[in-house]
Amino acid sequence: MKKILSIALFLPFVFVDAQQSLNINNVTSSQAVFESVASGTGGPIKYEDIQGSPYQSPLFQKASVGEKYGNIEVRYNAYTDDIEFLNNGKTEVLPKQDDFSRIEVLPSKQVFVYLKNSSEPKGYLIEVAKGKNSVYKKEKTVFKDAAPAPNTYQTGKPAMFVKQDPVYYIKTASGNINKVTSLKKITDLFPEKEKEYNTYIKSNNLKFNDADIAKLVTYINQ
């Protein structure tokens, strides 16, 4: 009887581990990554020949994808707005489908959410704070083509990736998504308690950054 009980207790843990180690090697609609950029000064330029990086982090990190897939190695390409993943050593792009619309990077606990039904924002957003009112951040990198030297006394500029300032959005309890550019813009969304929230900002010396935005919205959500 003890042996049977031990097996019964062990089975759930085997199942959980199997769920965690699922992969997406057989996912349809995935596509290979072409690590180059079209240039107006010639042919395509490889990422490795461009200054800077299109990636939030160039290293692949373990992540859970949607509700079914775990231990997937991913990285975010902020130039193409794609989540790339490793498939048997080959880099592919995660399909932009509902099943894969939430990606949690396990080491950092950073969560990417894919929005497809709004005009702005659209694409992958980073979840800064979650709750009745949620905060999201859009990170973007742009490509600047090489520029030849205007004359013999000056040097040209190489092709480069340039990281843009993040853009923040508040999704309110009503479902509306609002772009915000300051803490004041956040409190403007809640006129019935705007004075209280502005006092909270001042008394806690909050700044317009991830940590303090999350702190303010957590207070608003109380």
Side-chain angles (χ1 to χ4, degrees), residues 117-138:
N117 295 323
S118 62
S119 56
E120 186 192 5
K122 197 177 186 73
Y124 288 104
L125 303 180
I126 298 168
E127 191 175 76
V128 176
K130 185 180 180 182
K132 180 172 61 177
N133 300 284
S134 301
V135 184
Y136 298 96
K137 176 175 70 171
K138 181 68 177 177

Side-chain angles (χ1 to χ4, degrees), residues 56 76 78 110 124 126 137-141 163 166-167:
Q56 184 197 56
Y76 176 57
Q110 188 177 63
Y124 288 104
I126 298 168
K137 176 175 70 171
K138 181 68 177 177
E139 292 191 346
K140 186 175 179 62
T141 295
K163 186 176 181 180
V167 180

Side-chain angles (χ1 to χ4, degrees), residues 3-22:
K3 289 184 178 179
I4 294 173
L5 179 59
S6 297
I7 293 172
L9 289 173
F10 180 71
L11 282 175
F13 292 96
V14 174
F15 177 75
V16 169
D17 185 66
Q19 287 290 95
Q20 290 177 339
S21 62
L22 280 172

